[in-house]
Amino acid sequence: MNAAEALFQLLTSDASIASYVGGRVYPLVAPQDAGRPSIAYQAITEVPTHSQTGYSSHTLTHWQLTIEAGTYQQARTLKRLIERAFGSGFPRDVGALRVFSMLVTNSSDGYGDIARVPVIRMDIDMQHNED
């Protein structure tokens, strides 16, 4: 399992998030005709941890989540659900990947010009081992 698969599993296996978005979690961008609310995710940076003794499997992946919703309140609610889901319960194994921490580092409100819906973008740092 890689970090993207682990993030997808974390988002879709949390009961509160899954009940809100169903299966509408997508890599890179949500399809224009996708139902709302939805979550799209993309890796912004992947930084391996360097070690003087050689290869280290520890990696920091900086993710951006794009939440699209039918209303601003729906987007804010989903943002809070994600913050709560990633705010505790780490470290944990997600498949063969060890996720040491998930930290929401930033979020901003916006508007999707193409889909014409409220948007919240969240930055999340995931510390994990890499396969």
Side-chain angles (χ1 to χ4, degrees):
M1 175 170 289
N2 61 42
E5 292 166 331
L7 178 64
F8 177 83
Q9 185 169 331
L10 288 167
L11 289 167
T12 57
S13 66
D14 181 87
S16 60
I17 295 171
S19 69
Y20 212 71
V21 299
R24 296 180 302 274
V25 178
Y26 307 97
L28 303 176
V29 65
Q32 274 187 291
D33 60 349
R36 305 289 188 269
S38 65
I39 303 169
Y41 60 93
Q42 64 180 348
I44 303 300
T45 58
E46 294 179 305
V47 182
T49 301
H50 298 282
S51 170
Q52 292 180 342
T53 60
Y55 173 76
S56 171
S57 66
H58 291 109
T59 301
L60 172 66
T61 302
H62 183 77
W63 296 99
Q64 183 176 73
L65 303 184
T66 303
I67 297 168
E68 294 183 349
T71 67
Y72 180 63
Q73 186 58 42
Q74 284 180 331
R76 299 289 299 176
T77 297
L78 184 51
K79 173 189 173 286
R80 282 192 303 276
L81 293 175
I82 293 168
E83 288 171 336
R84 290 179 185 150
F86 292 168
S88 63
F90 294 93
R92 76 173 87 155
D93 293 324
V94 183
L97 193 89
R98 181 73 166 169
V99 178
F100 300 103
S101 67
M102 298 284 288
L103 177 65
V104 176
T105 59
N106 188 38
S107 67
S108 63
D109 296 351
Y111 187 76
D113 291 334
I114 295 172
R116 298 186 184 268
V117 295
V119 172
I120 295 178
R121 290 183 177 79
M122 299 178 73
D123 295 331
I124 297 175
D125 285 346
M126 172 196 274
Q127 293 187 20
H128 57 93
N129 70 339
E130 189 58 58
D131 55 352

